[in-house]
Amino acid sequence: MATEDTGKEAAIPFEGKRRKVSSHPSQNEALIFEKSSPGKRAYRLPPLDVPEADPSALLGTSARQDPGMLPELSEIEIVRHFTRLSTWNYSIDLGMYPLGSCTMKYNPRVNEFVSRLEGIAEAHPYQPESLSQGALGILHLLERCLLEITGMDAITLQPAAGAHGEFTGILLARAYHQAQGDPRHRILIPDSAHGTNPATAALCGYEVENLRSNSLGMVDLAELEHLVTGDTAALMLTNPSTIGVFESEIHKIADILHAKGALLYMDGANMNALVGKTRPGDFGVDVMHLNLHKTFSTPHGGGGPGSGPVAAKKILEPFLPTPVVVEGPRGEDGRATLRLDYDRPRTIGRVRAFYGNFGMFVRALAYILANGPDGLRQTTEDAVLNANYLRSKLEDLYELPYKTPTLHEVVFSDRRQAQKGVRTGDIAKRLIDYGFHPYTTSFPIIVPGALMIEPTESESREELDLFIDAMRQIAREAQENPELVLTAPHSTRVSRLDEVAAARKPMLRYMPPDGAVGQ
Ligand SMILES: *Cc1c(COP(=O)(O)O)cnc(C)c1O
């Protein structure tokens, strides 16, 4: 065996233990363009047996003159290229994904099985209603489940994500105030809020007013009372808040708003801590969104399809986006036929093509039905238990800025590690070396240097213990050898990337080094 090739690793004697990490067969996979060589093909076509067409005869001057620079590879090279790249991905199928606020829970395989059933996967959105009773039944049943879970009166499944749900919900509030002849101009948002909340309010034409949190990280009732006026359209509140704390005075918050004619909007992205335990409709919320891709386990991340249904109280129902699924007359079997109602004169209009991201509805409904009411309650309890387990195992090493009881996520700060120059982003990068996806860094902004950790109920005690070991080891490193943490990750192909430039100046096309190919 050539020991010089395997280097450092070969020097570690094999002690009969299995090693956790093995390296990728090719850590230096080139770009597909760089692997190209002229004339290679991944297909073979039969000889042309018709006259060859002249593209310019068909397309005139629009016909492209040069063939463009497309990579030329064999089939196995293409397969290997993408398979190798896929092994560099981190995913929930590989390990824990503790991104706080994001609820990166496992998407059970049964969801995928159901969503791929032929009648579901291949239904066309323009099929007539008479041939779509099954699909409409899925929409209708999911709506009823979500209304039961939230305690609200009416719902739309259309919005494609959480932020889109916020936009839809605030448009409902705006339509409501306008219909009362009382258009209002301001929306209150706590300083702990997710960035999409102020963005939504601004996009809907409102002035955003900042509501300071109190020392427990909750809404300051006196401050709220002071700020709510006849010009306040709504308060946008995340409950539990982004520090994982339940607003225990939520009833009073709702009363203060309602007394001035303002509405309570709840950002329901954190419903994972509430499902089966308490219902926003029962504690005074007027309108809220859900993230099916968080709480209800549908796949999440990489910009894939999400789903952000909006549930509302009766007073907002006339304004819901069209179409709305409604029950028609009952047939002989006692079942109502379902139809799509487009005739809603006060609607805010459509917010999404067709009926929303249907595949997400199927998965979410499968998840809800597979768990049942007791199972859903159990997931909530387990999510809260897991977050508290992490809290209790890490709070001696990491600063806990708010001691209020934790629900489904726990927020530490890097105050102690910062004394050695190690910040939350460094600790997060070092976690990669231990085989975990980083937690959420630097959010919420009311906690300077935040480490926001949400394990979700998907994780076993064993996986949580591995995570705890890694976090404890990193805390030790930050004291004894801060440089090791500051220069992490060490196990990846590339280390510290320029994240700002990647977001602001993304390079989305291949530029050959010699600039040989035209634009
Ligand atoms: C995730 C999240 C959102 C936004 O949801 P998207 O689906 O990402 O648009 C809004 N608020 C909170 C608190 C969230 O965690």
Side-chain angles (χ1 to χ4, degrees):
M1 200 176 137
T3 45
E4 61 275 20
D5 285 351
T6 44
K8 207 165 48 185
E9 287 195 28
I12 303 167
F14 180 67
E15 288 168 358
K17 278 190 195 162
R18 255 183 271 158
R19 289 230 206 97
K20 193 179 167 212
V21 178
S22 66
S23 60
H24 184 266
S26 171
Q27 285 289 343
N28 291 312
E29 188 68 12
L31 295 178
I32 197 164
F33 289 96
E34 293 163 347
K35 303 181 108 188
S36 172
S37 51
K40 278 200 183 175
R41 289 281 177 276
Y43 61 88
R44 196 175 292 150
L45 294 179
L48 193 65
D49 59 358
V50 291
E52 190 165 346
D54 172 11
S56 351
L58 292 169
L59 299 168
T61 51
S62 304
R64 186 169 184 158
Q65 296 308 313
D66 73 83
M69 209 201 109
L70 294 173
E72 296 176 85
L73 292 91
S74 69
E75 181 173 317
I76 188 157
E77 286 173 318
I78 296 169
V79 169
R80 284 201 182 137
H81 176 68
F82 287 107
T83 305
R84 285 173 182 165
L85 290 186
S86 76
T87 66
W88 297 353
N89 272 342
Y90 191 86
S91 71
I92 195 74
D93 286 353
L94 207 57
M96 182 172 163
Y97 218 115
L99 273 180
S101 201
C102 291
T103 313
M104 302 296 288
K105 66 167 73 172
Y106 173 66
N107 168 40
R109 288 295 187 267
V110 65
N111 296 356
E112 293 304 311
F113 172 77
V114 176
S115 68
R116 283 166 172 71
L117 293 176
E118 193 186 346
I120 289 174
E122 292 179 10
H124 192 282
Y126 281 154
Q127 268 171 214
E129 286 168 5
S130 62
L131 296 179
S132 305
Q133 288 297 306
L136 291 173
I138 288 171
L139 301 180
H140 193 54
L141 183 57
L142 177 63
E143 289 183 352
R144 282 190 298 161
C145 291
L146 296 177
L147 289 176
E148 174 71 28
I149 288 167
T150 56
M152 306 297 278
D153 302 322
I155 192 165
T156 174
L157 301 177
Q158 263 185 42
H164 194 196
E166 291 172 32
F167 176 70
T168 306
I170 293 299
L171 287 186
L172 295 180
R174 193 175 79 177
Y176 164 80
H177 287 302
Q178 280 170 351
Q180 308 271 103
D182 179 22
R184 297 175 173 219
H185 300 97
R186 297 184 315 158
I187 286 193
L188 280 169
I189 300 183
D191 48 13
S192 60
H194 195 268
T196 50
N197 293 185
T200 293
L203 200 61
C204 294
Y206 286 102
E207 212 175 289
V208 176
E209 211 167 348
N210 185 36
L211 178 61
R212 270 201 321 269
S213 304
N214 66 18
S215 60
L216 301 173
M218 301 201 223
V219 168
D220 189 322
L221 288 186
E223 177 83 356
L224 178 69
E225 193 117 40
H226 172 68
L227 288 179
V228 183
T229 70
D231 202 30
T232 308
L235 165 70
M236 289 183 87
L237 187 69
T238 307
N239 191 25
S241 71
T242 44
I243 54 168
V245 171
F246 189 81
E247 294 282 354
S248 50
E249 309 219 78
I250 187 77
H251 272 112
K252 289 188 193 156
I253 293 171
D255 290 346
I256 292 170
L257 292 162
H258 293 156
K260 294 271 171 65
L263 299 177
L264 176 53
Y265 182 97
M266 191 178 108
D267 180 328
N270 291 345
M271 272 302 281
N272 210 39
L274 305 188
V275 173
K277 305 300 275 186
T278 182
R279 307 194 311 166
D282 299 337
F283 56 64
V285 169
D286 299 296
V287 49
M288 66 178 292
H289 76 267
L290 293 161
N291 288 53
L292 299 188
H293 50 289
K294 292 180 181 172
T295 314
F296 298 99
S297 84
T298 69
H300 181 178
S307 181
V310 172
K313 287 283 173 62
K314 212 87 210 135
I315 49 167
L316 299 172
E317 188 172 15
F319 311 105
L320 287 181
T322 48
V324 175
V325 181
V326 292
E327 290 186 11
R330 290 191 182 274
E332 279 167 15
D333 58 359
R335 279 209 199 174
T337 45
L338 296 169
R339 60 181 187 85
L340 292 164
D341 183 12
Y342 290 86
D343 183 20
R344 316 217 7 140
R346 299 164 82 190
T347 176
I348 59 165
R350 193 185 262 292
V351 297
R352 177 78 175 79
F354 303 118
Y355 324 106
N357 282 333
F358 185 74
M360 295 296 108
F361 307 152
V362 176
R363 290 174 176 86
L365 184 60
Y367 179 78
I368 290 169
L369 296 180
N371 277 296
D374 293 339
L376 289 176
R377 189 172 303 114
Q378 179 84 44
T379 62
T380 302
E381 288 170 1
D382 290 349
V384 173
L385 180 65
N386 280 358
N388 280 281
Y389 183 65
L390 291 184
R391 171 174 162 159
S392 72
K393 295 283 184 183
L394 294 175
E395 64 186 329
D396 60 328
L397 295 180
Y398 292 93
E399 185 86 7
L400 193 64
Y402 292 99
K403 310 279 185 283
T404 344
T406 292
L407 287 184
H408 65 305
E409 59 197 357
V410 55
V411 181
F412 296 105
S413 93
D414 63 10
R415 216 170 69 118
R416 289 183 217 168
Q417 290 72 31
Q419 289 161 5
K420 295 274 187 176
V422 173
R423 305 307 311 266
T424 177
D426 304 313
I427 300 167
K429 294 282 186 211
R430 183 67 178 139
L431 258 183
I432 297 171
D433 288 334
Y434 284 92
F436 291 97
H437 192 281
Y439 50 76
T440 294
T441 58
S442 312
F443 175 76
I445 53 177
I446 56 169
V447 177
L451 291 70
M452 187 189 209
I453 304 174
E454 180 179 6
T456 84
E457 73 285 355
S458 306
E459 299 307 331
S460 65
R461 166 100 185 256
E462 289 72 17
E463 185 78 9
L464 294 178
D465 284 338
L466 287 175
F467 179 77
I468 289 161
D469 284 351
M471 289 296 289
R472 297 192 68 85
Q473 182 66 24
I474 296 170
R476 209 158 22 243
E477 291 167 358
Q479 293 307 317
E480 292 166 6
N481 184 5
E483 199 52 29
L484 182 64
V485 185
L486 289 170
T487 50
H490 304 281
S491 59
T492 49
R493 185 163 167 267
V494 287
S495 188
R496 298 261 171 151
L497 301 168
D498 184 341
E499 292 172 12
V500 176
R504 298 282 155 81
K505 294 183 191 155
M507 284 170 59
L508 301 175
R509 72 185 281 269
Y510 174 64
M511 298 288 197
D514 58 3
V517 174
Q519 297 298 305

